[in-house]
Amino acid sequence: MLKKTFHIALFILFPLYALEHYPFSLLPRGYADSALEPHIDRETMKIHYEGHHATYVKNLNEELKDHPAFQKYSCKQLLTMLDKLPEKIRVAVRNNAGGHENHTFFWRCLTPQYKKPSKRLIKAIEGMPYFGSFEGFKQQFNQAAKKVFGSGWVWLCYDKFLGELFIMTTPNQDNPIIDHRPGEAIPLLALDVWEHAYYLKHQNKRASYIDAWWSVVNWDFVEENYKKALL
Ligand code: MN
């Protein structure tokens, strides 16, 4: 009984996905495919979620099916213990646990009800000398996003040890926590720059997708992540 109550309490306190383990499932995004129009189109949102994201989930479950020892771990846990996984499934778990983790996070970075970032968050970003201003941060983020060669992601992260916000890019479906100590690269905001995220509407014009994307960023979620990172 106590155990059950404890589990219910955990569910209320943390986002669902933090506790998720095998068998993984596609979690609700909380808005419709068309909700981000005209910035991100309905068709792209539908295929990206039900097609691409769902495939990462399916493949991840497939990889872990015959490895019960690793079925109790969340995606984040799997991504920080890749060297402990059997070699046979290591790359596939990196790609598909990364794909599931990144997309679940990405959907939460988006909102149909756009609100400007809070003064506190703007101040934190402007406090980083290399950004200089909020505009400076956006320009650097845009540059990083345009420079990703092939498929990958752009992130705003927080480093607990240095107390710094910074931009990083990752190839493929890599998450910033791979190859970093816990707390060294905590994701606050993510932008998916795989072509599947924009090709239907923006074709080869990644820059136009990035511009549109700023109009649907969920700054409340970014701030929530920042506050947690500061704890
Ligand atoms: Mn994607």
Side-chain angles (χ1 to χ4, degrees):
M1 180 60 197
L2 238 177
K3 201 176 170 197
K4 197 176 173 192
T5 316
F6 178 69
H7 276 130
I8 292 168
L10 272 179
F11 255 77
I12 296 165
L13 288 172
F14 296 100
L16 224 52
Y17 78 98
L19 293 168
E20 211 205 355
H21 56 76
Y22 178 91
F24 293 93
S25 55
L26 203 55
L27 302 171
R29 284 176 309 188
Y31 47 79
D33 291 328
S34 59
L36 307 180
E37 297 253 11
H39 311 291
I40 305 179
D41 61 295
R42 187 189 67 81
E43 191 75 356
T44 298
M45 286 300 285
K46 187 176 165 63
I47 296 171
H48 200 174
Y49 180 62
E50 290 173 14
H52 297 281
H53 185 176
T55 303
Y56 298 123
V57 174
K58 187 173 157 279
N59 291 345
L60 178 58
N61 288 334
E62 195 62 36
E63 292 299 328
L64 294 173
K65 198 178 65 182
D66 300 325
H67 298 274
F70 298 99
Q71 291 175 354
K72 62 177 180 221
Y73 297 112
S74 69
C75 282
K76 271 190 185 156
Q77 287 171 322
L78 289 166
L79 293 172
T80 49
M81 55 186 283
L82 290 170
D83 54 336
K84 294 185 180 70
L85 296 174
E87 214 184 326
K88 208 175 131 221
I89 63 167
R90 194 175 298 153
V91 173
V93 169
R94 181 184 188 127
N95 291 338
N96 292 293
H100 184 32
E101 176 66 27
N102 293 356
H103 285 85
T104 303
F105 186 82
F106 180 60
W107 306 133
R108 302 187 73 203
C109 287
L110 305 174
T111 177
Q113 280 106 33
Y114 180 83
K115 275 195 301 185
K116 282 184 190 156
S118 71
K119 285 206 176 86
R120 179 192 155 148
L121 189 61
I122 292 176
K123 217 177 137 199
I125 288 172
E126 290 182 341
M128 300 295 114
Y130 37 84
F131 294 150
S133 64
F134 193 74
E135 254 334 286
F137 153 70
K138 277 178 76 173
Q139 278 173 21
Q140 287 179 35
F141 195 94
N142 288 346
Q143 275 309 318
K146 284 177 208 163
K147 270 196 193 156
V148 173
F149 186 75
S151 299
W153 292 76
V154 193
W155 308 82
L156 173 66
C157 291
Y158 183 69
D159 182 330
K160 265 177 113 78
F161 301 101
L162 299 175
E164 285 174 2
L165 295 159
F166 64 101
I167 294 166
M168 76 179 280
T169 60
T170 56
N172 309 313
Q173 291 297 349
D174 284 358
N175 185 281
I177 61 174
I178 297 177
D179 300 332
H180 282 97
R181 285 184 295 163
E184 212 172 32
I186 304 170
L188 309 183
L189 172 67
L191 170 59
D192 185 347
V193 291
W194 280 58
E195 277 188 350
H196 69 221
Y198 61 88
Y199 199 82
L200 292 180
K201 182 180 167 81
H202 299 278
Q203 290 90 43
N204 58 327
K205 298 181 280 293
R206 187 188 283 178
S208 110
Y209 157 67
I210 299 165
D211 276 350
W213 172 80
W214 286 111
S215 302
V216 288
V217 170
N218 185 353
W219 290 110
D220 281 349
F221 180 61
V222 180
E223 182 151 11
E224 199 184 297
N225 296 329
Y226 180 52
K227 278 186 194 157
K228 272 192 229 158
L230 290 175
L231 291 177

